[in-house]
Amino acid sequence: MRDYMLFRLYGPLAAWGDIAVGEYRPSFAHPSKSAIIGLLSAAFGIRRDEEGRLKALGESCSFAVRVDSMGVLLRDYHTTQVPSAKKGVIHYTRRSELATDDLNTILSSRDYRCDAAYTVAITVADNSPYTVQQLATALKKPVFTLYLGRKSCPLALPLQPQVVSAATLREVLETVPSADELSGIIQRGDAAVFWEDDKTSGLERQQSITRRDESRSRKRWQFSERQESCGILRKGDEPCTSA
């Protein structure tokens, strides 16, 4: 038996960053690990420049995602005015940036997932600085404001974190129903599940994908690759004993 900390994610808009080149900012269809660790870090009040604490939390947590609603792709065209970088000049507010005479316009296209909903399961290593119960408590009373990938994507429903003990990932995901408030958008029948833990999941791995979303440095915005398994949670099937 393992302890899992489960919570739900839903908002009108969400953005799960993928590899971005040039002016295009894509979004994955389900949460990235850096987004989940960032959300947990915000709940604990860990700042982006506290790289030691961020690394310890990221390395000790494994996560899985059940996609309750894939949502709809929304692509937004952005124009942003920013001042030129100058040595010794730091702008702490947006008002300060716009008060300068040297403004440049940056054009970009940004992807969002509209009306997407997910159930997230977290497990922690034996040497983790936090227990799953502490993770759940932090999400109930977060230090910083939580959002879904970007600050422009606020949560629309409470996270409802809870700790559940189960033998497999499949078993624990089957115990958590979808939110009643989202009955109009939740997909019926089978649900896609993505996980990274190589221990027994109870799900059949259909494919393995590589994602560059393991945070190495939040200050320098650097990420490394990790492997993620993908399978289907089929209602009524017998559990699979493979990872």
Side-chain angles (χ1 to χ4, degrees):
M1 299 290 284
R2 302 185 70 187
D3 289 334
Y4 295 82
M5 194 276 287
L6 294 102
F7 61 96
R8 65 183 182 182
L9 294 175
Y10 170 73
L13 293 175
W16 314 117
D18 198 2
I19 297 175
V21 178
E23 65 181 27
Y24 178 45
R25 300 290 184 269
S27 171
F28 237 85
H30 64 278
S32 60
K33 182 169 185 178
S34 58
I36 296 299
I37 296 303
L39 186 140
L40 293 173
S41 300
F44 280 109
I46 302 175
R47 299 181 181 276
R48 287 182 175 178
D49 58 357
E50 297 182 89
E51 295 202 339
R53 297 181 66 190
L54 289 171
K55 182 179 180 181
L57 179 60
E59 291 181 346
S60 65
C61 291
S62 295
F63 88 110
V65 179
R66 185 185 72 194
V67 181
D68 298 319
S69 172
M70 188 71 72
V72 179
L73 175 64
L74 173 67
R75 184 161 297 163
D76 193 18
Y77 181 69
H78 280 244
T79 61
T80 307
Q81 286 188 304
V82 296
S84 299
K86 295 182 179 179
K87 186 176 181 180
V89 177
I90 300 177
H91 297 280
Y92 292 101
T93 65
R94 182 62 176 156
R95 181 178 181 180
S96 173
E97 287 184 336
L98 295 177
T100 64
D101 296 327
D102 184 18
L103 290 176
N104 306 293
T105 300
I106 296 178
L107 306 178
S108 64
S109 295
R110 305 192 179 200
D111 287 354
Y112 297 85
R113 304 303 302 188
C114 181
D115 271 345
Y118 313 92
T119 298
V120 180
I122 303 287
T123 57
V124 297
D126 294 336
N127 61 346
S128 172
Y130 305 101
T131 65
V132 287
Q133 189 60 58
Q134 288 175 316
L135 297 180
T137 299
L139 290 181
K140 292 177 181 178
K141 295 183 178 181
V143 176
F144 298 140
T145 301
L146 307 182
Y147 48 86
L148 303 176
R150 294 191 182 120
K151 292 181 180 180
S152 58
C153 304
L155 295 163
L157 287 176
L159 296 173
Q160 292 188 336
Q162 58 180 302
V163 176
V164 178
S165 295
T168 65
L169 173 63
R170 176 196 173 101
E171 181 181 324
V172 76
L173 290 177
E174 288 179 330
T175 65
V176 182
S178 303
D180 293 337
E181 301 93 329
L182 303 177
S183 59
I185 66 171
I186 295 298
Q187 61 192 33
R188 303 301 177 186
D190 302 341
V193 179
F194 301 86
W195 70 95
E196 64 169 350
D197 197 337
D198 61 357
K199 296 183 173 64
T200 300
S201 66
L203 294 161
E204 180 182 0
R205 182 193 293 119
Q206 295 188 348
Q207 64 174 321
S208 181
I209 59 178
T210 300
R211 297 188 67 178
R212 186 179 289 273
D213 63 355
E214 186 95 54
S215 181
R216 295 181 59 190
S217 173
R218 296 298 295 183
K219 289 192 296 184
R220 295 188 296 274
W221 219 252
Q222 294 177 338
F223 303 89
S224 58
E225 294 181 348
R226 69 179 180 89
Q227 296 299 308
E228 187 174 78
S229 299
C230 173
I232 301 296
L233 183 61
R234 303 186 188 279
K235 294 184 178 180
D237 283 359
E238 291 296 323
C240 176
T241 57
S242 63

